[in-house]
Amino acid sequence: MSKKLSEMTLEELWKLFPISLVEPKAEWGEWYKEQERSIATALSNVCCRISHVGSTAIRGVWAKNIVDILVEVEQEEELRYAAERLKEIGYLIMSSAPDRISLNRGYTEQGFAEKVFHLHLRLKGDHDELYFRDYLNDHPDVAKEYERIKLGLWKQYEHDRDGYTNAKSDFIRRYTALAKEEYGLRYSQKAPEQ
């Protein structure tokens, strides 16, 4: 009998769920839309914005076959409530802080399911990923540079998610800052259509 995910060490989890990049898939947008509807229903009384973020939201780049979703709520006390509601629709809480909760769906004791999601539950305004996503979609040359970096890091960090994420962080910070300069208060009001 295999171990439950909650009983596995970080190293065991990284081995079971390695970094693996795939060519862009049209289905990513569809998978997001399915989850967006489900999440909006579950969180109808607390959610203020649901967004498709991460590399699967950037046109034409290789990515992990995992759709990242950012959910923003108004108040800190709504985070816990929202996380409990998300658990009811199949999400697992992976990490929790006072102002952020990470949840996953599609992780099994046998490895990845066909559809896998990372959900980032945050307070309203904690959404740098929106700037990064839009900047790369508006600047395909920068998106391709990001893709090259990720492809170069893939095998080196195949079983080290933290290392993979940290190795990309300077690039992400640099272009997020440029995006904020270029876009200003783009996300302070209405949710973007993506």
Side-chain angles (χ1 to χ4, degrees):
M1 186 167 157
S2 63
K3 282 184 178 180
K4 292 184 178 183
L5 296 178
S6 60
E7 298 169 347
M8 292 183 184
T9 66
L10 194 55
E11 291 74 22
E12 289 171 323
L13 289 168
W14 285 344
K15 189 87 168 155
L16 185 59
F17 303 112
I19 301 292
S20 179
L21 302 179
V22 298
E23 292 183 61
K25 294 183 175 186
E27 306 89 83
W28 289 333
E30 297 164 16
W31 295 358
Y32 165 74
K33 284 293 184 189
E34 289 170 9
Q35 289 302 299
E36 179 187 41
R37 286 189 293 275
S38 181
I39 293 164
T41 300
L43 303 182
S44 61
N45 58 335
V46 295
C47 185
C48 66
R49 183 186 351 236
I50 304 169
S51 305
H52 186 186
V53 295
S55 294
T56 62
I58 300 168
R59 290 184 294 276
V61 300
W62 282 58
K64 294 190 302 286
N65 197 31
I66 299 170
V67 173
D68 283 278
I69 301 169
L70 175 64
V71 175
E72 295 174 77
V73 297
E74 291 279 348
Q75 300 171 25
E76 197 170 299
E77 56 271 12
E78 293 173 334
L79 286 170
R80 302 281 167 257
Y81 170 82
E84 290 304 315
R85 297 286 295 141
L86 291 165
K87 282 171 54 178
E88 292 172 12
I89 62 168
Y91 282 88
L92 299 171
I93 295 175
M94 301 306 288
S95 65
S96 182
D99 59 346
R100 289 180 164 196
I101 300 174
S102 294
L103 301 99
N104 294 338
R105 184 174 183 168
Y107 285 68
T108 75
E109 283 83 9
Q110 294 74 41
F112 291 119
E114 179 187 350
K115 297 178 183 178
V116 182
F117 304 92
H118 283 181
L119 192 147
H120 311 272
L121 185 55
R122 310 263 183 81
L123 294 174
K124 183 178 178 182
D126 185 359
H127 51 231
D128 283 357
E129 293 88 345
L130 299 177
Y131 288 96
F132 185 72
R133 175 200 67 195
D134 286 0
Y135 194 88
L136 269 61
N137 278 327
D138 291 346
H139 299 86
D141 55 322
V142 178
K144 283 300 177 185
E145 183 181 348
Y146 185 53
E147 178 185 68
R148 279 190 298 278
I149 289 169
K150 293 187 332 160
L151 288 169
L153 297 171
W154 171 9
K155 293 300 179 184
Q156 178 183 356
Y157 293 103
E158 184 175 16
H159 299 289
D160 180 0
R161 279 186 185 269
D162 290 345
Y164 178 77
T165 299
N166 292 337
K168 301 181 302 175
S169 59
D170 286 344
F171 182 94
I172 293 168
R173 277 194 295 272
R174 178 174 53 229
Y175 285 102
T176 298
L178 287 172
K180 286 179 172 182
E181 287 177 26
E182 185 170 319
Y183 301 140
L185 298 175
R186 175 181 273 196
Y187 303 112
S188 62
Q189 303 298 321
K190 185 179 178 305
E193 298 298 323
Q194 283 199 20

